[in-house]
Structure formats: structure tokens, C-alpha cells
Amino acid sequence: MLTQVDYTPIQLRLPLVFDEYIKFGDPVYTFEEIINNVNLNKYIKKEKNDNRGRKGYNPLSLLKVILFAFQLKGYASTREIEDLCYNDIRFRYLLQYETGFPSHMTIDNFMKNSLKYKIDDIFHEVNGYIFNKDKIDLNHIYIDGTKIEANANKYSWVWKKACITSRDRMFIKISLLLESMNKDIKFESYRYDIKNTYEIEDLECILNDYQAKNKIDTTLFVHGKGKRKTIAQRNYEELVSYLARLKDYAIKIDTCGEHRNSFSKTDKDATFMRMKKDYMGNDQLLPAYNVQFGIADEYIAIYDINQYASDMDCFVPLMEKFNNAYNKYPTYPIADAGYGSYNNYIFCEEHNIKKYMKFPMYKKEIEDAKYHNNKFRAINFKTDENNNLICPNGKKFVFKYYAPIKGNKYGRKDEVYECENCNRCKLKKQCTKAKGNRKIRLNKELTSMYKEVIDNLESIQGALLRMNRSIQSEGAFGILKQDRFYRRIVRKGLDNVNLELGIIACSYNIYKYHNKKHRKSIEC
């Protein structure tokens, strides 16, 4: 009698309709509403099947699972997305037309090869649908930035100034070496030129020439204890080592570029910056990126990633990126004191943008009456009938010259005035610490801009905008960092970081749209 059973008592049952197993009001329905109403196929195209290997996944399906995972989690690794595809029925619902589930390598390759340079277009395409549905006001943009730590080692810094200093010292050593080489050359009529600086190409020519003239064969070089090197070998090896170090310095200086003073060896696009949260407790600089957001009605309208710490330099690139995306500039960009500068104010005047960005001394100018009314401040000096500045002691200040300002892009120059005579002045100790006559620098155009900014921000509209900025821009970073636990950049390289921030910003807007939609349905 046969007792073997050729079947399993648990019969496999597959749901034919996934919708029945997903609760009403789930975020996946909002997500599908947005994806189905935007045309993303023009940005990601399926590669032609060459009949080799297994059938590939539809790139739109891969994009769906990536964006939805980020919408749920804030940030999701490729392995976490793979796990969600296998175990979460909502991801099976998004992949219901696929024959299998993508692995983490499939997802990672899609992100690096297909999504990296298209994420900005996809972000603005999704924003177009959301902003149209919610009637978003793009004239008011609340700007803020934060420094997010890069995925780089903490002690992997390379300082540009240190490389320049070491390179200059190397030039001195090369000059001494060339003097020594000139003494050893048999042809007295031929000598190598001694310079203050040297080009790498010139030193390579000198090295080849020295080798040829002295008939140096590198295969005959001796090394080790008890071996005596010839003078030609010593000079040749020393010049080779100097040349290698000069090349290394040149690469590092070129990597920093004009606008950076440092970079990390493990992520060369990351710059060392001072972070607000110093968890190491020693005020140490850490590798980071400066992330900028422009918020409109709680949505991220624009984002940008910068490699320098100053927010002042981030304003114009953010506005240009906004203009490229929406074909206009915002009328009211509201920002804190890190963005107010002469360059940014001139840019606003050129593009009909209102000045609602604080300047660095704004708070002290408004709240500190003693500082504001200080009679020794140059802008508080009185003028005589000839518009000459008169100090509190009645002395006249005489115009001396125009002083250019470093880093100014519009040819700004300060007017430098000097007091006619500060000798035996009773008020000199309160007025200045200079040993001679006091000198002051004024820029009347910038002073008038500061006054315009104060008038704008101290108006009723300005007060409401400032209050709203603290809610919206600070709130967006608070949600990302505290609620959705995104506190450190995972990918390396500027393009990969832009991909990561683009996916996060896109999924954040979908997340916000779902919450608003769900909130409205509850209120109704």
C-alpha cells in the first residue's frame, strides 16, 4: 500500500485584485493619481530588448517603487526597497504587470544609469501637477539652507592653502636642485634656468634633457645599504620625486577650484564646513554639502546643492534654477540674514524682485537702539551745507579715494573719507581706536538698500512673511530631519547627491500632497 502523498495540504492562492487588500485612503492611491496624470515616459525610456538574458523591468515601474518607498520612509536604501517589493502588497500592486520583483542591484543600476540626469525634469513634472491642483503661489518663495554631512571620512581633509604653501616650498627646493645640477653639467655653455615658479611640463623637459646629456640608464641604478649612488642618480631621483609631488599638489588645487578651500579624499565634491550640531564637541569642521530649498505653500518648489558654506553665494544660483524651471523669478523671496548682500540686492533690482532678505546686522539695527542711534557711526554723521560729513566734535571728513570690495561682481566701490584733524580731540577714544586720523568707508547705494529692506520687512506684510518663512522653510527641514530621519547624505559625488536630494524632494511633495488631501477629506 502506497502512503506517499504527492501534494502539499496548503494550497497556494493568489489575489487576483490587489485593491481589495489595500485600505481606503492609503498613500498608494494618491501616489498613483499623480503618476498617472504626468507624462514620465518622455524622461525614462525602456531599452530595446536584444534577446539576451532575462527580460528587463519597465523603467516606469522601477521609478514608481523608488518614489513610493521614499514617500513612505523619507529615505530608503536599495535593499530596503527590494524588501518592500517582496513583502508589501502596495508595492506588489505597483508591480502587478511585472513578472518578478527587482533586486537591489537592478534598482541601483537604474538610479545611476537612467535616473541620475533626469531627476530634475521628473521633479518639476510632478510639481506641475501638484501645484496646479493645489493652486500654489509661486510668487512667494521662502528660502532656507542647511548643511548636511556628506558620506565621507571625518579626517580625510585636503586644505587648498596648505597645498599652495607646500608647492611654494617645493619651488625653492627645485631651484636649489637645479643649481646643483648646473654645476655637474659638463657643457658650461648650457645651464638650466632658475625661476621662482616652475611648470610641470618644463620640469619634465629638464628631466629628459638631464637624462640624455648624462646618459643615465635607470636600470643601472643602485639601491640599498653599502651601495654608493652617483651624483647624477641622486639628482635624477630627487627631481623625479619633486615632480611627482608637484603633480599631486596641482591635482589637489585643481580639485578645490576657485570657490573652495578644502575637499575630502573620500568624497572629492564634499567641502569641510562648520556644522550647527557639533557632536564631536571640538568645533571641528566636517565634510558636508550646503542644501538649499525654496518653499512655496509648504511644497519644495526648488532645491539646489552647493559646495560652499556661505548662503550669500547660494541665492543667485537658486533663483536662476527657479527661473529655468518656471520661466519666471519669484516676486517675494523671503530669506534670513545669511542671504542679504550687495550682489544679491543688485540681482533683485535687475530682475524686478522685491528685497525681502535680511542683511547680517539687521537684528542689531532693529532691536539695539543704542547701536542704531550711536552718534559715532558714520551713517549717523551730520552734513554741512556742502554735503561734507561732520563728526560729533565738529570736524570735517574729506574724501580720499574709492576702495574696491573683494568678491563684488558689480564693480562696487566704497568711498573712503578721512577726518581733517583728530589731534587733541576729547571724543577720540569713543570715536576710534586709530592712532592717526579716523578713516571711514561708506557706500550710499548699499545704505539705501538696507533702508529699503528694513521698510519692507518691518511693514505688516513683511512681518507676516517673516513669520510664515519660519514656519514653512524651517518646517520643511524639520520634517525631513526629525520626522523622516534624513540627517546624512548617503551617496558620494555632486551628481549622485543631486539625484538623492531630487528623489527626496519629489517624494516629499507627494507626501505633503497626500496629507493635505487626506486632511481635507476628514474636514469635509
Side-chain angles (χ1 to χ4, degrees):
M1 181 178 179
L2 295 176
T3 59
Q4 182 178 355
V5 179
D6 294 324
Y7 64 92
T8 174
I10 302 176
Q11 186 176 356
L12 181 64
R13 293 189 302 172
L14 294 175
L16 299 178
V17 182
F18 288 96
D19 307 35
E20 297 179 357
Y21 296 87
I22 302 175
K23 65 181 180 180
F24 178 78
D26 193 88
V28 73
Y29 295 125
T30 305
F31 176 80
E32 193 177 38
E33 172 202 338
I34 296 174
I35 297 300
N36 290 339
N37 283 280
V38 295
N39 183 14
L40 299 180
N41 289 317
K42 58 184 178 181
Y43 304 117
I44 49 173
K45 297 180 180 179
K46 187 174 182 180
E47 297 180 359
K48 294 182 179 179
N49 191 2
D50 57 1
N51 297 321
R52 291 182 299 174
R54 61 170 292 176
K55 183 181 177 181
Y57 292 97
N58 187 342
L60 185 59
S61 299
L62 294 175
L63 177 62
K64 284 182 180 181
V65 297
I66 292 170
L67 288 179
F68 188 59
F70 274 72
Q71 179 190 345
L72 295 178
K73 302 290 185 178
Y75 177 85
S77 66
T78 54
R79 291 183 183 273
E80 191 172 5
I81 297 173
E82 178 188 6
D83 188 59
L84 289 170
C85 290
Y86 274 92
N87 300 310
D88 194 321
I89 196 170
R90 293 173 294 182
F91 286 81
R92 295 193 177 194
Y93 170 69
L94 295 175
L95 292 168
Q96 58 184 317
Y97 298 110
E98 301 293 339
T99 56
F101 302 111
S103 66
H104 68 277
M105 285 302 299
T106 302
I107 297 170
D108 186 61
N109 289 333
F110 169 74
M111 294 173 71
K112 290 190 297 185
N113 300 329
S114 301
L115 200 56
K116 182 188 295 186
Y117 301 107
K118 299 295 184 180
I119 188 60
D120 289 340
D121 298 326
I122 294 172
F123 171 71
H124 295 303
E125 191 77 21
V126 171
N127 278 1
Y129 175 79
I130 295 176
F131 291 0
N132 183 55
K133 291 285 289 185
D134 266 6
K135 302 296 186 292
I136 301 303
D137 176 21
L138 291 174
N139 290 322
H140 294 79
I141 297 296
Y142 304 96
I143 299 171
D144 199 12
T146 186
K147 299 174 183 67
I148 301 181
E149 188 178 351
N151 185 8
N153 294 354
K154 299 177 180 62
Y155 300 101
S156 59
W157 52 64
V158 174
W159 304 108
K160 181 180 177 181
K161 290 184 179 179
C163 292
I164 293 175
T165 301
S166 300
R167 184 192 61 182
D168 294 340
R169 292 175 181 170
M170 187 59 58
F171 288 153
I172 298 174
K173 293 182 179 181
I174 292 172
S175 297
L176 296 175
L177 177 61
L178 291 180
E179 289 179 0
S180 175
M181 291 168 62
N182 285 336
K183 295 178 183 178
D184 299 329
I185 296 177
K186 299 178 181 178
F187 307 100
E188 296 183 359
S189 59
Y190 188 84
R191 292 290 182 269
Y192 298 121
D193 294 334
I194 308 299
K195 304 177 183 178
N196 293 327
T197 61
Y198 298 91
E199 297 293 335
I200 294 176
E201 294 78 8
D202 296 339
L203 290 177
E204 288 177 341
C205 292
I206 291 174
L207 183 67
N208 295 331
D209 184 73
Y210 185 76
Q211 183 178 7
K213 280 187 169 54
N214 289 273
K215 299 179 180 180
I216 297 175
D217 186 0
T218 56
T219 60
L220 301 178
F221 281 178
V222 295
H223 301 281
K225 188 175 181 180
K227 306 290 184 180
R228 184 175 295 276
K229 296 181 180 180
T230 63
I231 296 177
Q233 179 182 347
R234 291 173 187 267
N235 291 337
Y236 181 86
E237 290 180 342
E238 194 170 357
L239 186 56
V240 168
S241 66
Y242 289 167
L243 189 57
R245 290 163 69 181
L246 274 184
K247 289 180 180 179
D248 183 51
Y249 295 144
I251 292 172
K252 290 177 178 177
I253 294 171
D254 184 64
T255 302
C256 283
E258 297 181 2
H259 304 290
R260 292 201 296 164
N261 293 322
S262 64
F263 70 90
S264 170
K265 294 177 183 177
T266 49
D267 182 2
K268 295 183 179 180
D269 287 337
T271 307
F272 278 82
M273 305 177 186
R274 183 162 280 106
M275 312 288 285
K276 286 184 179 179
K277 186 175 180 181
D278 182 22
Y279 57 84
M280 299 188 71
N282 56 1
D283 199 30
Q284 179 176 295
L285 276 67
L286 295 173
Y289 289 93
N290 193 347
V291 178
Q292 299 288 318
F293 280 170
I295 310 297
D297 292 344
E298 300 183 37
Y299 293 105
I300 300 174
I302 197 68
Y303 69 92
D304 196 18
I305 297 97
N306 295 281
Q307 296 175 282
Y308 30 86
S310 174
D311 286 337
M312 286 186 182
D313 300 327
C314 302
F315 179 78
V316 173
L318 188 69
M319 291 295 98
E320 292 293 356
K321 195 171 181 181
F322 184 93
N323 181 49
N324 293 334
Y326 302 103
N327 296 319
K328 68 173 186 177
Y329 293 97
T331 307
Y332 299 94
I334 301 93
D336 60 16
Y339 297 86
S341 69
Y342 185 84
N343 289 339
N344 294 342
Y345 291 148
I346 291 292
F347 178 85
C348 289
E349 288 187 351
E350 289 179 345
H351 299 90
N352 297 320
I353 301 174
K354 304 295 183 181
K355 303 183 188 72
Y356 280 82
M357 303 92 66
K358 296 178 183 178
F359 49 88
M361 298 296 289
Y362 172 81
K363 186 175 181 180
K364 194 168 186 179
E365 186 76 39
I366 297 302
E367 298 180 359
D368 192 343
K370 184 178 179 181
Y371 171 80
H372 179 77
N373 300 320
N374 186 1
K375 62 181 180 180
F376 296 105
R377 289 180 64 200
I379 61 173
N380 291 333
F381 283 2
K382 297 179 181 179
T383 57
D384 59 12
E385 61 276 3
N386 297 322
N387 287 328
N388 293 317
L389 294 172
I390 305 299
C391 76
N393 196 31
K395 298 293 183 179
K396 183 172 67 174
F397 274 73
V398 181
F399 173 77
K400 287 296 183 180
Y401 55 88
Y402 289 102
I405 303 301
K406 182 180 179 182
N408 180 257
K409 301 177 181 178
Y410 296 93
R412 169 194 170 189
K413 292 183 179 180
D414 284 350
E415 299 172 358
V416 180
Y417 296 86
E418 183 177 353
C419 183
E420 58 182 358
N421 188 8
C422 286
N423 294 332
R424 299 179 182 178
C425 178
K426 298 179 181 179
L427 303 176
K428 185 175 181 179
K429 290 184 179 180
Q430 304 175 50
C431 184
T432 181
K433 295 181 181 179
K435 294 182 179 179
N437 296 332
R438 180 185 176 183
K439 290 184 179 181
I440 59 174
R441 298 173 67 134
L442 289 178
N443 187 282
K444 296 178 181 178
E445 184 182 12
L446 183 59
T447 303
S448 65
M449 289 179 181
Y450 283 169
K451 186 178 183 306
E452 181 183 352
V453 171
I454 292 174
D455 293 339
N456 289 340
L457 293 175
E458 291 302 307
S459 64
I460 296 176
Q461 181 188 12
L464 292 174
L465 291 176
R466 283 189 287 122
M467 180 181 64
N468 208 7
R469 191 207 74 87
S470 63
I471 295 171
Q472 295 210 31
S473 59
E474 302 286 354
F477 282 116
I479 291 172
L480 285 176
K481 288 184 173 182
Q482 297 298 125
D483 297 350
R484 296 169 74 78
F485 305 103
Y486 181 71
R487 299 172 186 174
R488 184 172 182 178
I489 292 171
V490 177
R491 286 166 177 78
K492 297 182 179 182
L494 195 60
D495 291 334
N496 293 321
V497 173
N498 184 77
L499 167 67
E500 184 174 317
L501 264 297
I503 297 174
I504 288 173
C506 188
S507 60
Y508 174 86
N509 286 349
I510 300 174
Y511 162 82
K512 267 290 179 184
Y513 177 75
H514 169 73
N515 288 349
K516 284 188 174 184
K517 183 180 176 182
H518 184 63
R519 193 158 53 240
K520 289 179 182 177
S521 64
I522 294 176
E523 292 174 356
C524 294

